[in-house]
Amino acid sequence: MEDTKYRHEWKHEIKYIDMLCIRQRLKVIMRPDPHALNGVYEIRSLYFDNLNDKALREKLDGVDMREKFRIRYYNGDTSFINLEKKTKVKGLESKFCALLSQAEALKIVEGDIAWMAMSNRPLVQELYVKMRYQGLRPMTIVDYTREPYVYGPGNVRVTFDYGIRTGLRCIDFLNWGCATIPAGDPVVILEVKWDEYLPDIIRDALNTPGRRVQAFSKYAQCRIYD
């Protein structure tokens, strides 16, 4: 597996009016992600956990070193599906990815995992081991809309996530039409990621006096009905 590269990350729940104000500032100094469709992504993720809800509990308890697995695709396009592993160590995050075919993703969802042991992708092999020996399994679908902005210096990425919906215990991941419901009250999540430094011009644009600063997990929010 490639060398681990860690990035800084802020993730906060903000008010809708805050998003409108911050968005206006960002549009002056940042550019929309050129890969977004009409300025946004429609994201569908399938998160993994074990029977003891290890990933969920570690997030809620603020465990300093933790990891989570998910499968993800964008804008309903199942021709490009990513298996992702995110790790967090002392506030820094890293992410490893491996492409999956639609057939492979379906097999994982259905519990057909023996083939994964022979994969030439280390991340697929790692997920196999953890599904086989740690009881990791697909847990629930998380849907949301992401509005992304990018800035070259510092490799900064700022996103607004909203419209968060949960599939409850549904894992029919490849069926874009499967039923999902709002995950509690509507919220907006401001997410900021950068490498070695966050430029002051971006810090100033994100500053909103009186803003409610609160860590947030979309996966945890989508488990509220369990």
Side-chain angles (χ1 to χ4, degrees), residues 49-58 139 169 219 223 226:
D49 214 332
N50 66 14
L51 291 175
N52 295 320
D53 291 328
K54 179 177 181 290
L56 177 62
R57 293 180 182 278
E58 288 182 348
M139 188 60 67
R169 289 283 182 162
Y219 171 59
R223 293 289 306 278
D226 287 358

Side-chain angles (χ1 to χ4, degrees), residues 11 42-48 68-74 77-78 80-84 86 95 98-100 105 142 144 146 161 173-174 191 193 218:
K11 189 182 294 184
E42 298 298 336
I43 298 177
R44 165 158 289 184
S45 300
L46 178 63
Y47 281 80
F48 290 72
K68 62 186 175 185
F69 284 85
R70 68 191 178 204
I71 306 176
R72 169 173 289 187
Y73 62 95
Y74 300 84
D77 181 8
T78 57
F80 186 87
I81 301 173
N82 252 339
L83 167 63
E84 299 179 352
K86 289 192 69 176
K95 183 168 70 172
L99 285 175
L100 295 175
V142 176
Y144 60 95
R146 167 163 288 178
D161 295 342
F173 172 69
L174 297 176
E191 189 171 299
K193 297 181 180 179
K218 289 183 284 290

Side-chain angles (χ1 to χ4, degrees), residues 12-23 160-162 186-190 208-214:
H12 302 310
E13 179 181 345
I14 62 173
K15 297 178 181 179
Y16 182 75
I17 187 64
D18 291 338
M19 180 182 74
L20 297 181
C21 294
I22 296 171
R23 177 196 281 158
F160 300 107
D161 295 342
Y162 45 82
V187 296
V188 178
I189 308 306
L190 171 65
T208 302
R211 185 183 72 206
R212 178 187 181 191
V213 177
Q214 178 178 338

Side-chain angles (χ1 to χ4, degrees), residues 37-215:
L37 183 62
N38 297 320
V40 300
Y41 295 105
E42 298 298 336
I43 298 177
R44 165 158 289 184
S45 300
L46 178 63
Y47 281 80
F48 290 72
D49 214 332
N50 66 14
L51 291 175
N52 295 320
D53 291 328
K54 179 177 181 290
L56 177 62
R57 293 180 182 278
E58 288 182 348
K59 172 61 181 179
L60 296 177
D61 292 342
V63 174
D64 201 34
M65 298 178 63
R66 59 184 187 267
E67 67 180 25
K68 62 186 175 185
F69 284 85
R70 68 191 178 204
I71 306 176
R72 169 173 289 187
Y73 62 95
Y74 300 84
N75 300 320
D77 181 8
T78 57
S79 67
F80 186 87
I81 301 173
N82 252 339
L83 167 63
E84 299 179 352
K85 172 191 172 183
K86 289 192 69 176
T87 63
K88 202 148 200 176
V89 179
K90 297 182 179 180
L92 298 176
E93 67 144 29
S94 64
K95 183 168 70 172
F96 300 98
C97 301
L99 285 175
L100 295 175
S101 69
Q102 184 172 335
E104 289 172 336
L106 181 59
K107 286 181 179 180
I108 293 173
V109 170
E110 293 179 340
D112 178 3
I113 64 172
W115 62 273
M116 299 169 67
M118 305 302 295
S119 174
N120 61 359
R121 290 154 291 177
L123 188 60
V124 174
Q125 292 181 330
E126 182 181 352
L127 179 59
Y128 166 77
V129 170
K130 291 178 177 177
M131 291 182 74
R132 179 71 175 81
Y133 298 105
Q134 297 182 13
L136 211 62
R137 63 177 186 173
M139 188 60 67
T140 193
I141 290 170
V142 176
D143 287 344
Y144 60 95
T145 299
R146 167 163 288 178
E147 182 180 324
Y149 297 87
V150 295
Y151 188 78
N155 190 23
V156 181
R157 183 176 179 85
V158 177
T159 60
F160 300 107
D161 295 342
Y162 45 82
I164 302 170
R165 300 179 66 85
T166 175
L168 299 174
R169 289 283 182 162
C170 174
I171 59 172
D172 193 6
F173 172 69
L174 297 176
N175 178 10
W176 190 250
C178 80
T180 59
I181 63 173
D185 296 331
V187 296
V188 178
I189 308 306
L190 171 65
E191 189 171 299
V192 188
K193 297 181 180 179
W194 70 96
D195 288 345
E196 286 76 19
Y197 68 100
L198 181 62
D200 288 341
I201 191 172
I202 303 298
R203 290 182 184 271
D204 292 343
L206 297 173
N207 183 38
T208 302
R211 185 183 72 206
R212 178 187 181 191
V213 177
Q214 178 178 338

